[in-house]
Amino acid sequence: QVQLVESGGGLVQAGGSLRLSCVASETMYSINIMGWSRQAPGNQRRLVATISNGGRANYLDSMKGRFTISRDNAKNTVYLQMNSLKPEDTAVYYCYAVHGHSTYWGQGIQVTVSS
């Protein structure tokens, strides 16, 4: 079982930046895909970005150019750099990991963007 712990959320003004971090309890070399999803109040959880073990990144179209996902396998950590934040980016952000045939989720972290 993989445990994931997110950090780096908080309150930021529109146009600002935040960097989320997610530390995995397992070595990242054994985790095929890591990613971030988010869930705003009243909405379904939506994928934000994923990154493969080889470093290939994919993004939801609306995130391209503003969000950057990266991973540091030596630190068992995946990051989500969020720039030019908008109020509509306000949500709980969840880290997840695909390990073998299972998907594991972090507990989520709040990001609030004020206008």
Side-chain angles (χ1 to χ4, degrees), residues 34-36 49-51 57-59 67-71 78-80:
M34 295 200 71
W36 292 91
T50 63
I51 187 166
N58 287 288
Y59 301 91
F67 290 10
T68 302
I69 189 171
S70 61
R71 62 192 284 170
V78 63
Y79 303 98
L80 184 68

Side-chain angles (χ1 to χ4, degrees), residues 42-112:
N43 292 333
Q44 291 185 335
R45 193 174 299 187
R46 298 186 67 189
L47 177 68
V48 172
T50 63
I51 187 166
S52 71
N53 204 349
R56 181 172 182 175
N58 287 288
Y59 301 91
L60 186 67
D61 283 347
S62 61
M63 311 302 172
K64 290 180 180 178
R66 297 194 300 126
F67 290 10
T68 302
I69 189 171
S70 61
R71 62 192 284 170
D72 186 336
N73 288 347
K75 295 182 178 180
N76 294 346
T77 302
V78 63
Y79 303 98
L80 184 68
Q81 178 67 43
M82 305 185 293
N83 298 327
S84 302
L85 283 163
K86 306 174 183 180
E88 51 264 43
D89 293 318
T90 295
V92 177
Y93 285 71
Y94 297 89
C95 172
Y96 70 91
V98 179
H99 179 62
H101 298 290
S102 300
T103 299
Y104 301 92
W105 293 89
Q107 79 284 358
I109 191 163
Q110 179 70 43
V111 171
T112 303

Side-chain angles (χ1 to χ4, degrees), residues 5-20:
V5 179
E6 301 106 332
S7 62
L11 174 65
V12 64
Q13 288 188 333
S17 299
L18 283 175
R19 188 176 80 157
L20 304 182

